[in-house]
C-alpha cells in the first residue's frame, strides 16, 4: 500500500484491497457505527455495497471497551 503512516484512509484502502480479493467477509462486529473512518462498520458497508456475503460474528453478552 502506498501509505507512509497508519491512518484512517490507509486502513480503509487496505480493507478495500482485501475485499477486492475475497469472496466473503467474516466480521467481528457489534453492529455499531465506526469510531472513525475505516472502522469495521465502514468495511462491512463496503462489502455489502459490493453485494459480498457478510457474516457478522458477535457472541451474546460481548461488549467493546473504550
Amino acid at each position: 500500500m502506498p501509505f507512509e503512516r497508519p491512518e484512517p484512509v490507509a486502513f480503509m484502502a487496505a480493507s478495500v484491497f482485501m475485499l477486492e480479493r475475497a469472496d466473503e467477509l467474516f466480521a467481528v462486529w457489534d453492529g455499531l457505527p465506526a469510531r472513525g473512518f475505516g472502522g469495521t462498520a465502514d468495511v462491512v458497508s463496503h462489502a455489502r455495497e459490493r453485494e459480498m456475503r457478510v457474516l457478522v460474528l458477535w457472541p451474546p453478552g460481548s461488549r467493546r471497551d473504550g
Side-chain angles (χ1 to χ4, degrees), residues 8 33-40 42:
R35 294 182 186 174
F37 180 67
T40 305
D42 295 325

Side-chain angles (χ1 to χ4, degrees), residues 1 12-26 43 50 52:
M1 303 302 307
M12 191 64 195
S15 295
V16 169
F17 181 85
M18 173 205 56
L19 292 173
E20 289 173 349
R21 288 152 181 78
D23 295 320
E24 58 189 332
L25 173 67
F26 291 78
V43 177
R50 295 177 39 115
M52 177 180 283

